[in-house]
Amino acid sequence: MSYVDLGQVPEDGHTQSPIWVSDRPAQSSARPTPAPSTFAPIERASLRSLLQEPKYRPLRRRALIALLGGILLGVLLSDWRAGVTGAVIAAIADTVYRARSASSVPAWRRPSVAERRTEAQLKKLERSGYRTLHARAIPGSEAQIDHLVIGPTGVYAVDSEKWDKRLPVRVQSGKKLFHGPFTQKPRLVEAAWEAAQASQLIGEKLGRELVVVPSLAIYGPAIPWKILTIRDVDVFEGSRVRRWITKREHSLTDEEIGKIYEAATEVLPPRYAES
């Protein structure tokens, strides 16, 4: 800021005040033009659009199950309070079922407790001419065969399952397998499909028909039978796996076992890197 003396006295006798002049450059009164925004406008998400996202599908399903359960029980008992109770029970049952049937860790990353127990049993069969492949992937799918056994009595696909021992295992009409209140039809269908895929792939490689017997070895709850065939899948308690395989008539020679094993190794790659 600098001082400027005008050096003159006006005729009216009044002294004119000195003028202070700013050294700063004058600023334009015009507002600067704002730079164009580089951000796209944010669209507000509606509740409907959020619920349509794939990650919210379990919530939608659970809400629908709770609604249907509530309506059913409320209508049957003619009491809205019973309907609310039914809705809560249905939602809890669905939550428990999904928690037991799903995992945040992919199954192929490491063998489960059940798989390790079955593998330990099958290892003892090697002295009797049996050969095994563990955790083999089915090309073009996320499925895997836990154990493929090739030996004198035939070829077997074994799925190892560890279930909650507090829930009973039962069969209805000889075709429906239940673990507590939960149907295990998807597990049976999957086991049969895996064996069928192995049979097709190995058979095409060998140039002849091959039968692979599907099975489900269950650990945990008591199984009220020795061996039971449900939907073409042999179901038994896990400790019986060796007995289930060896108590059959011999149908393959050592040469045939070797050829089937080599073909299976080629068409069914390992699910994870073998150490």
Side-chain angles (χ1 to χ4, degrees), residues 125-126 128-132 148-156 210-211 245-246 248-258 260-261:
L125 292 177
E126 293 177 1
S128 302
Y130 289 87
R131 307 185 72 174
T132 57
L148 186 72
V149 186
I150 306 156
T153 60
V155 185
Y156 308 92
L210 181 74
V211 176
I245 291 173
T246 56
R248 296 169 182 259
E249 294 184 4
H250 287 209
S251 57
L252 296 176
T253 64
D254 291 342
E255 182 181 359
E256 289 174 323
I257 292 171
I260 295 172
Y261 179 85

Short mmCIF file of all heavy atoms in Angstrom, two decimals, residues 125-126 128-132 148-156 210-211 245-246 248-258 260-261:
data_model
loop_
_atom_site.label_atom_id
_atom_site.label_comp_id
_atom_site.label_asym_id
_atom_site.label_seq_id
_atom_site.Cartn_x
_atom_site.Cartn_y
_atom_site.Cartn_z
N LEU A 125 -5.78 -99.73 0.15
CA LEU A 125 -6.17 -100.65 -0.92
C LEU A 125 -5.08 -100.82 -1.98
O LEU A 125 -5.18 -101.71 -2.82
CB LEU A 125 -7.46 -100.16 -1.60
CG LEU A 125 -8.75 -100.19 -0.78
CD1 LEU A 125 -9.90 -99.60 -1.58
CD2 LEU A 125 -9.07 -101.61 -0.33
N GLU A 126 -4.07 -99.96 -1.94
CA GLU A 126 -3.04 -100.01 -2.98
C GLU A 126 -2.32 -101.35 -3.00
O GLU A 126 -1.93 -101.85 -4.05
CB GLU A 126 -2.04 -98.86 -2.76
CG GLU A 126 -2.66 -97.49 -2.98
CD GLU A 126 -1.68 -96.37 -2.70
OE1 GLU A 126 -0.51 -96.68 -2.35
OE2 GLU A 126 -2.06 -95.19 -2.84
N SER A 128 -3.57 -104.09 -2.61
CA SER A 128 -4.44 -105.09 -3.24
C SER A 128 -4.66 -104.81 -4.72
O SER A 128 -5.56 -105.41 -5.34
CB SER A 128 -5.79 -105.16 -2.52
OG SER A 128 -5.61 -105.47 -1.15
N GLY A 129 -3.88 -103.92 -5.29
CA GLY A 129 -3.96 -103.66 -6.72
C GLY A 129 -4.89 -102.53 -7.12
O GLY A 129 -5.14 -102.33 -8.32
N TYR A 130 -5.38 -101.75 -6.15
CA TYR A 130 -6.27 -100.62 -6.47
C TYR A 130 -5.44 -99.34 -6.69
O TYR A 130 -4.41 -99.14 -6.05
CB TYR A 130 -7.28 -100.39 -5.34
CG TYR A 130 -8.33 -101.47 -5.25
CD1 TYR A 130 -8.09 -102.62 -4.51
CD2 TYR A 130 -9.56 -101.34 -5.90
CE1 TYR A 130 -9.05 -103.62 -4.42
CE2 TYR A 130 -10.52 -102.32 -5.81
CZ TYR A 130 -10.26 -103.47 -5.07
OH TYR A 130 -11.21 -104.46 -4.99
N ARG A 131 -5.95 -98.49 -7.56
CA ARG A 131 -5.29 -97.20 -7.82
C ARG A 131 -6.34 -96.10 -7.66
O ARG A 131 -7.51 -96.28 -8.04
CB ARG A 131 -4.66 -97.17 -9.21
CG ARG A 131 -3.74 -98.35 -9.45
CD ARG A 131 -3.02 -98.27 -10.78
NE ARG A 131 -2.00 -97.21 -10.76
CZ ARG A 131 -1.15 -97.00 -11.77
NH1 ARG A 131 -1.21 -97.76 -12.87
NH2 ARG A 131 -0.25 -96.05 -11.70
N THR A 132 -5.93 -94.97 -7.12
CA THR A 132 -6.90 -93.90 -6.82
C THR A 132 -6.41 -92.56 -7.34
O THR A 132 -5.21 -92.29 -7.41
CB THR A 132 -7.15 -93.78 -5.31
OG1 THR A 132 -5.90 -93.55 -4.64
CG2 THR A 132 -7.77 -95.06 -4.76
N LEU A 148 -11.64 -91.13 -7.23
CA LEU A 148 -11.92 -92.09 -8.30
C LEU A 148 -11.06 -93.31 -8.03
O LEU A 148 -9.84 -93.23 -7.98
CB LEU A 148 -11.59 -91.50 -9.67
CG LEU A 148 -11.98 -92.39 -10.86
CD1 LEU A 148 -13.50 -92.40 -11.02
CD2 LEU A 148 -11.32 -91.92 -12.14
N VAL A 149 -11.71 -94.44 -7.82
CA VAL A 149 -11.02 -95.68 -7.44
C VAL A 149 -11.11 -96.67 -8.60
O VAL A 149 -12.20 -96.94 -9.11
CB VAL A 149 -11.63 -96.30 -6.17
CG1 VAL A 149 -10.82 -97.50 -5.72
CG2 VAL A 149 -11.72 -95.26 -5.07
N ILE A 150 -9.96 -97.22 -8.99
CA ILE A 150 -9.88 -98.18 -10.09
C ILE A 150 -9.18 -99.43 -9.57
O ILE A 150 -8.04 -99.35 -9.10
CB ILE A 150 -9.11 -97.61 -11.29
CG1 ILE A 150 -9.72 -96.26 -11.69
CG2 ILE A 150 -9.12 -98.57 -12.46
CD1 ILE A 150 -8.78 -95.35 -12.42
N GLY A 151 -9.86 -100.57 -9.63
CA GLY A 151 -9.25 -101.78 -9.08
C GLY A 151 -9.88 -103.04 -9.62
O GLY A 151 -10.69 -103.00 -10.55
N PRO A 152 -9.50 -104.16 -9.07
CA PRO A 152 -9.99 -105.46 -9.57
C PRO A 152 -11.51 -105.59 -9.61
O PRO A 152 -12.04 -106.30 -10.48
CB PRO A 152 -9.38 -106.46 -8.56
CG PRO A 152 -8.16 -105.77 -8.04
CD PRO A 152 -8.54 -104.32 -7.97
N THR A 153 -12.21 -104.91 -8.70
CA THR A 153 -13.68 -105.07 -8.66
C THR A 153 -14.43 -104.03 -9.50
O THR A 153 -15.65 -104.08 -9.56
CB THR A 153 -14.18 -104.98 -7.21
OG1 THR A 153 -13.82 -103.70 -6.67
CG2 THR A 153 -13.57 -106.08 -6.35
N GLY A 154 -13.71 -103.09 -10.11
CA GLY A 154 -14.38 -102.10 -10.94
C GLY A 154 -13.87 -100.69 -10.73
O GLY A 154 -12.80 -100.46 -10.17
N VAL A 155 -14.69 -99.72 -11.17
CA VAL A 155 -14.33 -98.30 -11.09
C VAL A 155 -15.41 -97.58 -10.28
O VAL A 155 -16.61 -97.76 -10.54
CB VAL A 155 -14.21 -97.66 -12.49
CG1 VAL A 155 -13.73 -96.22 -12.39
CG2 VAL A 155 -13.26 -98.48 -13.37
N TYR A 156 -14.98 -96.74 -9.34
CA TYR A 156 -15.92 -96.12 -8.40
C TYR A 156 -15.62 -94.62 -8.25
O TYR A 156 -14.46 -94.21 -8.21
CB TYR A 156 -15.82 -96.79 -7.03
CG TYR A 156 -15.94 -98.29 -7.08
CD1 TYR A 156 -14.80 -99.08 -7.21
CD2 TYR A 156 -17.17 -98.90 -7.03
CE1 TYR A 156 -14.90 -100.46 -7.28
CE2 TYR A 156 -17.29 -100.28 -7.10
CZ TYR A 156 -16.14 -101.06 -7.24
OH TYR A 156 -16.25 -102.42 -7.31
N LEU A 210 -17.64 -97.95 -20.32
CA LEU A 210 -17.10 -98.14 -18.98
C LEU A 210 -18.14 -97.71 -17.96
O LEU A 210 -18.76 -96.65 -18.10
CB LEU A 210 -15.82 -97.32 -18.80
CG LEU A 210 -15.13 -97.44 -17.44
CD1 LEU A 210 -14.44 -98.79 -17.32
CD2 LEU A 210 -14.14 -96.31 -17.23
N VAL A 211 -18.31 -98.52 -16.92
CA VAL A 211 -19.26 -98.20 -15.87
C VAL A 211 -18.50 -97.68 -14.66
O VAL A 211 -17.57 -98.32 -14.17
CB VAL A 211 -20.08 -99.44 -15.46
CG1 VAL A 211 -21.00 -99.12 -14.28
CG2 VAL A 211 -20.90 -99.95 -16.64
N ILE A 245 -16.10 -101.36 -1.56
CA ILE A 245 -15.38 -101.55 -2.82
C ILE A 245 -14.89 -102.98 -2.99
O ILE A 245 -15.01 -103.57 -4.08
CB ILE A 245 -14.19 -100.57 -2.90
CG1 ILE A 245 -14.71 -99.13 -3.05
CG2 ILE A 245 -13.25 -100.93 -4.05
CD1 ILE A 245 -13.62 -98.08 -2.97
N THR A 246 -14.37 -103.56 -1.94
CA THR A 246 -13.71 -104.87 -2.08
C THR A 246 -14.68 -106.05 -2.05
O THR A 246 -14.35 -107.13 -2.55
CB THR A 246 -12.68 -105.05 -0.95
OG1 THR A 246 -13.30 -104.90 0.32
CG2 THR A 246 -11.56 -104.03 -1.08
N ARG A 248 -16.93 -107.19 -3.78
CA ARG A 248 -17.57 -107.38 -5.08
C ARG A 248 -16.73 -108.37 -5.89
O ARG A 248 -15.56 -108.60 -5.60
CB ARG A 248 -17.69 -106.05 -5.84
CG ARG A 248 -18.60 -105.02 -5.17
CD ARG A 248 -18.46 -103.66 -5.84
NE ARG A 248 -19.29 -102.65 -5.20
CZ ARG A 248 -20.46 -102.22 -5.66
NH1 ARG A 248 -20.95 -102.73 -6.78
NH2 ARG A 248 -21.15 -101.30 -5.01
N GLU A 249 -17.33 -108.89 -6.94
CA GLU A 249 -16.60 -109.83 -7.79
C GLU A 249 -15.54 -109.10 -8.60
O GLU A 249 -15.74 -107.96 -9.04
CB GLU A 249 -17.58 -110.55 -8.74
CG GLU A 249 -18.56 -111.46 -8.02
CD GLU A 249 -19.43 -112.23 -9.00
OE1 GLU A 249 -19.21 -112.09 -10.22
OE2 GLU A 249 -20.33 -112.96 -8.54
N HIS A 250 -14.41 -109.78 -8.82
CA HIS A 250 -13.34 -109.20 -9.64
C HIS A 250 -13.76 -109.19 -11.11
O HIS A 250 -14.27 -110.19 -11.63
CB HIS A 250 -12.05 -110.00 -9.46
CG HIS A 250 -11.40 -109.76 -8.13
ND1 HIS A 250 -10.05 -109.85 -7.93
CD2 HIS A 250 -11.92 -109.41 -6.92
CE1 HIS A 250 -9.76 -109.57 -6.67
NE2 HIS A 250 -10.89 -109.32 -6.03
N SER A 251 -13.53 -108.06 -11.75
CA SER A 251 -13.95 -107.92 -13.15
C SER A 251 -12.90 -107.29 -14.04
O SER A 251 -13.07 -107.25 -15.26
CB SER A 251 -15.23 -107.08 -13.23
OG SER A 251 -15.03 -105.81 -12.63
N LEU A 252 -11.80 -106.78 -13.45
CA LEU A 252 -10.75 -106.12 -14.23
C LEU A 252 -9.39 -106.76 -13.97
O LEU A 252 -9.07 -107.11 -12.83
CB LEU A 252 -10.68 -104.62 -13.86
CG LEU A 252 -11.90 -103.77 -14.18
CD1 LEU A 252 -11.69 -102.33 -13.67
CD2 LEU A 252 -12.20 -103.75 -15.67
N THR A 253 -8.60 -106.87 -15.03
CA THR A 253 -7.24 -107.38 -14.91
C THR A 253 -6.29 -106.23 -14.58
O THR A 253 -6.65 -105.05 -14.68
CB THR A 253 -6.79 -108.05 -16.21
OG1 THR A 253 -6.73 -107.05 -17.25
CG2 THR A 253 -7.77 -109.14 -16.62
N ASP A 254 -5.07 -106.57 -14.20
CA ASP A 254 -4.07 -105.54 -13.90
C ASP A 254 -3.82 -104.65 -15.12
O ASP A 254 -3.63 -103.43 -14.98
CB ASP A 254 -2.76 -106.19 -13.45
CG ASP A 254 -2.89 -106.86 -12.08
OD1 ASP A 254 -3.85 -106.53 -11.36
OD2 ASP A 254 -2.04 -107.70 -11.74
N GLU A 255 -3.81 -105.25 -16.30
CA GLU A 255 -3.58 -104.47 -17.52
C GLU A 255 -4.72 -103.49 -17.76
O GLU A 255 -4.49 -102.32 -18.10
CB GLU A 255 -3.44 -105.42 -18.71
CG GLU A 255 -3.14 -104.69 -20.02
CD GLU A 255 -3.02 -105.64 -21.20
OE1 GLU A 255 -3.15 -106.87 -20.99
OE2 GLU A 255 -2.82 -105.15 -22.33
N GLU A 256 -5.95 -103.94 -17.57
CA GLU A 256 -7.10 -103.06 -17.75
C GLU A 256 -7.09 -101.93 -16.72
O GLU A 256 -7.41 -100.78 -17.04
CB GLU A 256 -8.39 -103.87 -17.64
CG GLU A 256 -8.63 -104.80 -18.82
CD GLU A 256 -9.83 -105.70 -18.60
OE1 GLU A 256 -10.05 -106.15 -17.45
OE2 GLU A 256 -10.56 -105.97 -19.58
N ILE A 257 -6.71 -102.25 -15.49
CA ILE A 257 -6.64 -101.23 -14.44
C ILE A 257 -5.65 -100.15 -14.83
O ILE A 257 -5.92 -98.95 -14.68
CB ILE A 257 -6.25 -101.88 -13.10
CG1 ILE A 257 -7.38 -102.78 -12.59
CG2 ILE A 257 -5.94 -100.80 -12.05
CD1 ILE A 257 -7.00 -103.64 -11.40
N GLY A 258 -4.49 -100.55 -15.34
CA GLY A 258 -3.48 -99.57 -15.75
C GLY A 258 -3.97 -98.68 -16.88
O GLY A 258 -3.74 -97.45 -16.85
N ILE A 260 -7.13 -97.93 -17.70
CA ILE A 260 -8.20 -97.05 -17.20
C ILE A 260 -7.61 -95.92 -16.37
O ILE A 260 -8.01 -94.76 -16.48
CB ILE A 260 -9.23 -97.85 -16.38
CG1 ILE A 260 -9.94 -98.86 -17.27
CG2 ILE A 260 -10.24 -96.91 -15.72
CD1 ILE A 260 -10.83 -99.83 -16.52
N TYR A 261 -6.62 -96.25 -15.55
CA TYR A 261 -5.97 -95.23 -14.71
C TYR A 261 -5.29 -94.16 -15.57
O TYR A 261 -5.43 -92.96 -15.31
CB TYR A 261 -4.95 -95.90 -13.79
CG TYR A 261 -4.22 -94.94 -12.89
CD1 TYR A 261 -4.77 -94.54 -11.68
CD2 TYR A 261 -2.97 -94.44 -13.25
CE1 TYR A 261 -4.11 -93.66 -10.85
CE2 TYR A 261 -2.29 -93.55 -12.42
CZ TYR A 261 -2.86 -93.16 -11.23
OH TYR A 261 -2.20 -92.28 -10.41
#
